[in-house]
Amino acid sequence: MDVELVVQDLEKRFGGVRAVDDLSFAVRGNELVGLIGPNGSGKTTTIDTICGLLRPSGGRISFQGRRVDHLPPYRRAEMGLGRTFQVTRVFRRMSVLQNLMVPAMATGETDRSRTETRAEEILEMLTLDHLGSENADSLSGGQRKLLELGRVLMLDPDLIFLDEPFAGVHPRLRGQIHSYIRRVHANGKAFVIVSHDMDSIFELCQRVIVMNEGRKIADGDPEAVRSEKAVIDAYLGEASEREQLEHVGSGEGPDA
Amino acid sequence: MKARHFPVRKILFFSAIVLLGALLPLAVSSSYWLHVLAMAYFYGLVAATWSFLDGYAGQFSFGNIALVMIAGYTSGLLGEYTGLPLLLRIVAGIAMSGLVGLVIGALCLRFKGAYLSLFTIAFAEAVRLIINTEHRFTRGPCGLRVDGFFDTTSQVPYYYLMFGILVVSIFVMYRMLRSKWGLFFRAIREDEDAASALGVNVVRYKITAFVVTSMFCGVAGVFYAHFNRMLAPNFGQITTMGLIIGMAVIGGVENLVAAAMGGVLLQFGLEGLRDLGAWRLVVFGALLMIVLRFARNGLLAPLYRKLMGEEL
Amino acid sequence: MYGADYLIAQAANGLVVGCLYALMAVGLTLIFSVLKVINFAHGEFYMVGGYTAYYMVTVLGGLHPLLGIFFAMIVLLGLGSLFEVAFLRPIHLGAVNRPAEYAILITFGLSFFLQNLVLSLAGPFPHRSPSFMSGGLTVGPVTISADRLIAAGLALVLMIALMLFIRATWTGKAMRAVSQDRDAAAVSGINPFKMNNIAFGIGASLAGASGALIAPIFAVVPDVGVLPSLRSFVIVVLGGMGSVKGALIGGVAIGLVESLGAALIPDPSRALAYRELYGLVIFVLVLLFRPQGLFGEKQ
Ligand SMILES: Nc1ncnc2c1ncn2[C@@H]1O[C@H](COP(=O)(O)OP(=O)(O)OP(=O)(O)O)[C@@H](O)[C@H]1O
Ligand SMILES: [Mg+2]
């Protein structure tokens, strides 16, 4: 299967606000896509609609050749659509390990010891291995961000949406997460990464989609996108401004 | 969770409790106190169902006592109007509660949080009201006579029956909560959307939680009915539900065993202080508020955790 | 079937009790809008109000019945603010775990406590306050006792006073600000804790007032508050959680539905008992089809 996700004329309105407006794109089975755009441009809403948290106001969404618009979120998760939340939503009064076990058990994993090995491996990569039996409540903001990432990896989806995975995460760890994403990607998974951290986006992604005011304004090769005038006007701005943006992006707390 | 050790302490603890319960009738010869203990086991079971639904699945319901009543009256009324054998009536009572639980569960998909508690409190009052009003059919406030299990006036068999029901029910609920169900219940309690995005069928497990709880309320209800041999709508009033919730909270809502022990001990204590009349309920209410304010996890749950070295 | 006269009489009656229902519900909705807490002890505030008026008027002072209402309001104002400080403030200070569950439990615990306290102190037997005024008013087919008219009139006066208070005074506006956005209000110099306290006190005293107003009409017993509190839940859900206007209109609507609905059931004892069930049906329908209520904001 080559094309995994096809989004056609997607629209999501909140009252008078068109948060997502006539958006179309497709993600192939093994792509690493960056989704960027200014605050409020509709990136999170796009993810929410694709993964089933929000009902679209119009358009169609297909995944692996099937319409998924009317499936509940858990069915989409079972089919292989995973996502993290920009504002972290860990299961606070459950242990870190239990947090990871939920998606694994939900998708019918029965081999407990294999699941636990995988969970431990992921915790180690995220430098959370010493916290496995702690309540998620007691994690710091950045650690929760990492736990969210670990949780969606445990779901083992084919296409993973990451909403601001690097916000509030230490730069050194960011590099580690990059390489883990690459590794998972090399195993045949696709990613759509939303981030204001331009370095990460341009370093990781083979393709970048830019949104502004709910619409797609650019889509393609990172270098080409970077130099497109519309994108510069809407988002990237001058080089110096870009620096500032990155600063904001990486300094942003997980609950921002 | 890593190396799954053999839970020695837990097995010792539960064996001790079962042994204690089994030997108690040897020490307590008064049939009054045996009756009181059997009743305390009933409260322990209902408090545990409340812990199951609220403490684990995060659904705050006032409906447990109504489900107890529904099961009891189903079996009692079938006995009154049909010749159905006792065993079948018991099954029917439990099934009826499960069915009503299914409907409440389905409604609760729409009613979240406080709305659910508002709905269930009104539902519980409605059940009581109907039983009260349709007295030509239910015998109303005068009470419905129900046949007993055993052909004896001795309380000993009833004591063991209620104790056995409590132990078995707690064990079954405990196993459910230790399985992936318990994991999903808690995930739903913490964050429905996140659970759903991670593949948990929220609708199914929420309804499951309601049906399971309701059926165990039904178990408590039918056995209460045939043990007490009398049902009256007054038992289904909100005060009774207040006792049950209070027992679970004082024991520790987020721990099934602690909640059940809270039910047993407090009901026993309340009976022991019978001479104080309504004042003991005043004390109970005050204790409930103080525990809520200053010991949010209850009095027994932290002890239990210390003893076992882990939560449920 | 019933004639038109009967229906008109029932409607008039429904209108009158509806005002009393509304008064209690307005207190509940005020508390909810500011504190975001559903007060499960509201029925017991109502009950304590009724008892306070009864004892003030008959046993202690031999006060004029109308003064009894005033005292009931003062007592409940005090009780409400004390409870708020001791048990609800920690919610807004972030000092309790699982605040939503705590809020239900603690107010429910208070209701359990108060009911049994009054039962212990006053016993289970009904008490009836002396009436405000004997006689009644007859217009065409409708006769309404003076007590009911006075009670409904005072309820209306209190509700109008509350609305003016919220609209026109600084404190009222500050309360509204807190109800809309706690943090923003706090930043602009309003003390949200004080507003919580005032709102809870006023809400409790309105419940107390409605209990006191009804005391001469229906006798008080320790669990007299249970059904009125359920009715108040129905009313605020119907009117929209947090909407004072909604509670007023919802209260009158429920009053009408109950009295006219009674005409649907021929057997009078059933009709009386099942009055309460109409509320439940409305409750479910509203939650299913218009969860924000008539005047609530869509979430
Ligand atoms: N639940 C909602 N109700 C009303 N409006 C909403 C809602 N969620 C989002 N919006 C609006 O939709 C628009 C898009 O929001 P969205 O969160 O998708 O932006 P974003 O691109 O993720 O921004 P950011 O980079 O800040 O995360 C915004 O104008 C926002 O105000
Ligand atoms: Mg976003």
Side-chain angles (χ1 to χ4, degrees):
Chain A
M1 199 81 215
D2 199 11
V3 175
E4 291 236 307
L5 177 76
V6 181
V7 174
Q8 276 173 299
D9 309 324
L10 186 68
E11 185 179 299
K12 178 67 197 175
R13 283 187 305 264
F14 293 110
V17 182
R18 283 173 193 271
V20 178
D21 192 0
D22 208 14
L23 180 72
S24 301
F25 66 91
V27 179
R28 287 173 207 287
N30 190 16
E31 255 185 323
L32 241 169
V33 183
L35 177 59
I36 62 174
N39 290 120
S41 56
K43 305 179 296 291
T44 299
T45 308
T46 303
I47 299 180
D48 285 349
T49 338
I50 292 172
C51 293
L53 207 61
L54 295 174
R55 195 175 280 274
S57 317
R60 35 166 68 219
I61 304 162
S62 325
F63 184 61
Q64 292 175 338
R66 273 186 61 188
R67 282 286 292 266
V68 296
D69 320 24
H70 296 292
L71 295 181
Y74 85 92
R75 286 281 304 128
R76 304 189 203 192
E78 280 174 358
M79 287 176 67
L81 271 174
R83 58 94 46 100
T84 66
F85 294 90
Q86 178 173 14
V87 180
T88 51
R89 300 180 81 160
V90 297
F91 304 128
R92 296 167 66 112
R93 281 179 298 130
M94 293 169 73
S95 75
V96 166
L97 244 169
Q98 282 172 337
N99 264 270
L100 295 183
M101 294 304 281
V102 169
M105 305 295 273
T107 44
E109 179 64 78
T110 43
D111 187 342
R112 201 162 182 146
S113 67
R114 205 183 63 200
T115 315
E116 281 173 12
T117 316
R118 199 151 60 89
E120 273 153 25
E121 188 190 304
I122 286 176
L123 285 183
E124 200 171 320
M125 184 273 300
L126 299 170
T127 65
L128 295 175
D129 40 341
H130 57 297
L131 297 171
S133 54
E134 292 295 311
N135 253 4
D137 222 358
S138 63
L139 298 187
S140 76
Q143 286 170 329
R144 287 183 199 182
K145 206 82 224 188
L146 296 174
L147 177 56
E148 279 243 336
L149 179 61
R151 218 170 46 171
V152 74
L153 292 174
M154 286 298 288
L155 180 66
D156 200 19
D158 300 318
L159 172 56
I160 307 175
F161 287 90
L162 301 178
D163 201 346
E164 291 289 355
F166 309 113
V169 170
H170 190 277
R172 196 178 322 133
L173 206 50
R174 206 180 309 171
Q176 248 168 285
I177 294 174
H178 285 187
S179 51
Y180 197 83
I181 290 177
R182 286 211 186 85
R183 227 170 79 202
V184 177
H185 175 238
N187 283 335
K189 311 285 179 189
F191 282 88
V192 174
I193 302 173
V194 171
S195 183
H196 290 294
D197 172 2
M198 288 306 122
D199 283 341
S200 290
I201 291 288
F202 286 108
E203 196 184 314
L204 276 171
C205 301
Q206 311 147 333
R207 174 184 158 204
V208 174
I209 298 174
V210 189
M211 286 182 74
N212 190 31
E213 294 178 352
R215 294 175 162 271
K216 185 167 92 170
I217 57 168
D219 184 348
D221 184 64
E223 284 316 309
V225 164
R226 211 201 274 260
S227 51
E228 237 174 85
K229 182 167 183 321
V231 177
I232 295 171
D233 288 347
Y235 188 46
L236 297 175
E238 296 298 314
S240 59
E241 272 179 63
R242 229 190 84 206
E243 291 291 302
Q244 271 179 334
L245 255 177
E246 275 163 34
H247 198 70
V248 172
S250 55
E252 195 179 32
D255 296 327
Chain B
M1 208 180 241
K2 200 172 172 183
R4 246 171 308 148
H5 60 277
F6 198 63
V8 182
R9 286 191 199 185
K10 212 173 274 172
I11 289 175
L12 279 177
F13 177 74
F14 287 110
S15 315
I17 284 193
V18 171
L19 203 66
L20 183 70
L23 295 181
L24 218 50
L26 301 182
V28 181
S29 50
S30 138
S31 72
Y32 170 72
W33 284 108
L34 282 181
H35 181 92
V36 166
L37 280 168
M39 202 55 206
Y41 297 149
F42 162 82
Y43 275 98
L45 176 52
V46 188
T49 65
W50 201 75
S51 153
F52 191 100
L53 191 60
D54 177 70
Y56 292 84
Q59 309 296 314
F60 194 120
S61 160
F62 283 103
N64 300 45
I65 192 63
L67 292 156
V68 165
M69 300 291 282
I70 286 171
Y73 268 96
T74 301
S75 179
L77 289 172
L78 281 175
E80 184 84 3
Y81 295 108
T82 72
L84 233 53
L86 184 58
L87 200 64
L88 276 184
R89 285 188 277 133
I90 287 177
V91 173
I94 297 170
M96 184 61 110
S97 281
L99 203 67
V100 175
L102 183 75
V103 175
I104 298 181
L107 282 172
C108 108
L109 299 173
R110 299 293 292 272
F111 307 167
K112 302 237 159 92
Y115 285 105
L116 176 66
S117 44
L118 289 179
F119 169 70
T120 48
I121 206 170
F123 163 76
E125 269 302 287
V127 168
R128 192 181 66 86
L129 209 69
I130 291 172
I131 295 174
N132 226 344
T133 311
E134 298 302 325
H135 51 83
R136 254 160 284 173
F137 181 60
T138 62
R139 304 283 177 271
C142 304
L144 176 71
R145 283 194 181 289
V146 182
D147 49 334
F149 282 108
F150 309 109
D151 223 0
T152 161
T153 51
S154 161
Q155 286 294 320
V156 177
Y158 283 104
Y159 171 89
Y160 280 114
L161 182 70
M162 294 306 273
F163 184 65
I165 292 297
L166 175 69
V167 169
V168 170
S169 304
I170 296 284
F171 181 73
V172 173
M173 284 194 267
Y174 181 87
R175 294 305 306 172
M176 285 175 173
L177 292 172
R178 290 284 287 184
S179 76
K180 66 176 184 181
W181 284 16
L183 201 64
F184 298 158
F185 289 159
R186 276 184 283 174
I188 291 170
R189 174 190 74 192
E190 293 300 302
D191 193 327
E192 276 181 32
D193 288 339
S196 176
L198 291 165
V200 177
N201 186 343
V202 172
V203 171
R204 175 155 124 211
Y205 285 101
K206 249 190 181 178
I207 290 187
T208 305
F210 272 96
V211 172
V212 169
T213 319
S214 307
M215 289 180 78
F216 278 105
C217 288
V219 170
V222 283
F223 284 96
Y224 164 76
H226 294 284
F227 145 69
N228 202 49
R229 293 184 226 183
M230 173 66 121
L231 281 170
N234 245 6
F235 191 62
Q237 62 192 350
I238 293 174
T239 309
T240 315
M241 196 59 218
L243 279 176
I244 291 162
I245 292 178
M247 288 164 177
V249 168
I250 294 171
V253 206
E254 295 199 316
N255 188 311
L256 188 75
V257 179
M261 292 203 305
V264 174
L265 294 178
L266 282 165
Q267 174 58 21
F268 189 72
L270 284 174
E271 278 302 321
L273 298 174
R274 185 132 224 140
D275 291 345
L276 295 180
W279 282 106
R280 67 213 157 109
L281 298 183
V282 178
V283 174
F284 183 93
L287 180 66
L288 169 60
M289 288 170 70
I290 291 168
V291 166
L292 270 170
R293 176 69 191 83
F294 298 106
R296 191 69 182 83
N297 296 322
L299 298 179
L300 301 177
L303 273 178
Y304 177 88
R305 192 178 300 189
K306 229 173 229 159
L307 213 63
M308 298 300 152
E310 63 163 313
E311 50 188 317
L312 182 105
Chain C
M1 256 354 286
Y2 299 98
D5 282 0
Y6 174 81
L7 291 181
I8 292 171
Q10 283 295 83
N13 228 326
L15 215 59
V16 168
V17 288
C19 292
L20 291 166
Y21 295 173
L23 180 62
M24 184 173 177
V26 163
L28 189 67
T29 216
L30 177 71
I31 291 172
F32 179 81
S33 78
V34 178
L35 287 94
K36 308 291 178 251
V37 162
I38 295 177
N39 176 26
F40 279 88
H42 214 59
E44 280 58 43
F45 289 163
Y46 166 99
M47 178 268 296
V48 172
Y51 272 96
T52 309
Y54 168 78
Y55 278 106
M56 282 294 166
V57 174
T58 59
V59 184
L60 286 183
L63 292 174
H64 188 273
L66 289 177
L67 268 180
I69 297 166
F70 179 70
F71 268 95
M73 290 183 71
I74 299 289
V75 166
L76 267 302
L77 186 72
L79 180 67
S81 2
L82 267 181
F83 175 74
E84 195 280 329
V85 172
F87 291 101
L88 296 180
R89 185 153 301 179
I91 299 176
H92 299 96
L93 287 168
V96 285
N97 290 325
R98 297 168 269 147
E101 186 203 50
Y102 174 84
I104 303 176
L105 282 172
I106 197 77
T107 53
F108 182 67
L110 177 67
S111 104
F112 188 95
F113 174 78
L114 286 177
Q115 225 183 84
N116 287 295
L117 184 68
V118 172
L119 177 64
S120 306
L121 290 173
F125 306 108
H127 296 293
R128 186 190 292 266
S129 289
S131 72
F132 302 127
M133 193 195 270
S134 59
L137 183 69
T138 305
V139 180
V142 184
T143 302
I144 296 174
S145 74
D147 279 343
R148 288 185 187 225
L149 277 180
I150 291 175
L154 282 176
L156 277 178
V157 168
L158 284 173
M159 284 188 283
I160 291 169
L162 177 77
M163 285 189 181
L164 288 178
F165 173 75
I166 293 176
R167 283 249 156 115
T169 66
W170 185 86
T171 313
K173 285 178 190 155
M175 253 163 34
R176 244 183 0 188
V178 172
S179 90
Q180 275 156 19
D181 188 334
R182 259 193 113 63
D183 298 331
V187 171
S188 54
I190 296 167
N191 179 355
F193 297 109
K194 200 168 135 198
M195 294 308 138
N196 279 353
N197 196 258
I198 294 173
F200 199 86
I202 294 179
S205 85
L206 292 181
S210 53
L213 286 170
I214 288 182
I217 304 172
F218 307 117
V220 286
V221 286
D223 63 356
V224 72
V226 173
L227 288 177
S229 79
L230 291 178
R231 194 185 287 121
S232 298
F233 297 154
V234 173
I235 291 169
V236 296
V237 167
L238 173 66
M241 283 277 195
S243 159
V244 170
K245 187 174 78 182
L248 211 178
I249 294 172
V252 174
I254 294 290
L256 285 175
V257 167
E258 284 187 1
S259 4
L260 292 176
L264 291 176
I265 302 177
D267 174 355
S269 77
R270 281 215 180 104
L272 201 64
Y274 286 149
R275 239 177 22 184
E276 314 293 340
L277 288 188
Y278 292 114
L280 182 66
V281 173
I282 291 176
F283 185 87
V284 172
L285 291 179
V286 170
L287 285 187
L288 286 179
F289 298 108
R290 202 180 157 82
Q292 75 273 29
L294 296 178
F295 297 97
E297 313 239 311
K298 210 165 185 163
Q299 285 130 346

